[in-house]
Amino acid sequence: MPPSLLSLMLVVFGLTTGEFVIAGILPDVAGDLSVSVPAAGRLVSAYALGMIIGGPVVTALTARVPRKPLMTGLIAVSILGNLGSAAAPDYPVLLAARFLAGLVVATFFAVAVATAVSTAPAGREASTIAKVALGLNLGIVLGTPLGTLVGQRLGWQATFASVAALSAAALPMVLRFVPALPAAATGPLRDELRVFAGRDVRLAITLTALGNVGAVTVFTYIAPLLTKVGGFSEGAVPVLLLVYGAGAVAGNLLGGRLSDRDLMTSLIRLLGALAAVLALFWAAGGVRPLAAVLTFALGLLAFAVVPGMQARVLTTAGAAPTLAVAVNASGYQLAAAFAGSLGGALISDGPGLRSLFPAAALLTLAGLATAVHIHRGDRRRTGASARPV
């Protein structure tokens, strides 16, 4: 992997670890700050809210800043947010620090993706995106359990300090290896915002939201699904999460290569396979060996669609790709928030935990229908005959 991509991947790894690691240290934070676990859970929402707001707002306001200084500033804000989290004396300060740390994540990811793609060989844009997004996978697979271990041994403050240190360690690599590229925009802000008037951009963002919400719904409740539906012990859950993570890493790289060959056709096939795996989990998830295999397949397919979806946004965004990718990341966070609410409603007031699988499959089919609609529109415009899907 080129040093420039490696440095961007390491920053994404740190940002992702900072997002997800709170789940592993939540009880410790709640106990130390004398708040309830649900109140401590709002720290997750604060980070996500920062991403949702920061995606469009920070990206639009910094569109005329050259990319390397912009990335340096965004990393600095992330470091301050995590150091502030480590030093927070009480819950309100910690809540504000988590919001600050999340505020720059979507913008950094968008700038990193746009920078990586601008230097990628022709026809390898999606696989290049996959290399940057590999940091996201590793943040979930390695960063979260390692950060949890640090918190258990040294205190939850040490976890946030470690995340800040990781970003600080990656900063010199960004300064050394990432090429100095001009700002994403030079004109007025309204010119940037016009990108969302394009139907193709709106459809691409819709595809991201619909195509991911089903898998995110299941992952949000993966632990109780594995124990109460799959029949696994609680001790087996961390191992199965590693299996899921291994599938995610493999899927991310596979999805990038497939999307380079035929972007929309590969997305259609991957979304169809994802819906089938979710339906099979519902039908036969109680068979433990099969459930273990399906857990790997779920991780693989859930992340195989990501590079192609990001590439689709980039190809439709025209003159404002960075802003479009940032809004796309915010849209993913909104989908994640909806997934948590939907799952809670189905479990508490609906048919129960097992129903998450068919609900997720139906949502994924909605994403599949969107992908087919986009593909047909592309064919009508180009007049090209399509390969069989």
Side-chain angles (χ1 to χ4, degrees), residues 268-354:
I268 289 169
R269 290 173 175 168
L270 289 169
L271 285 168
L274 178 57
V277 165
L278 289 165
L280 188 57
F281 228 136
W282 169 67
V287 181
R288 280 185 289 181
L290 180 58
V293 173
L294 290 173
T295 299
F296 177 85
L298 181 60
L300 186 146
L301 292 166
F303 281 86
V305 300
V306 172
M309 289 176 177
Q310 294 289 349
R312 177 68 189 185
V313 172
L314 280 170
T315 57
T316 59
T322 305
L323 181 58
V325 172
V327 171
N328 198 46
S330 296
Y332 182 90
Q333 290 299 316
L334 285 171
F338 173 76
S341 300
L342 172 67
L346 288 173
I347 294 169
S348 302
D349 306 318
L353 189 64
R354 193 183 187 95

Side-chain angles (χ1 to χ4, degrees), residues 214 217 342 346 355-364:
T217 299
L342 172 67
L346 288 173
S355 67
L356 293 183
F357 289 121
L362 289 173
L363 288 168
T364 304

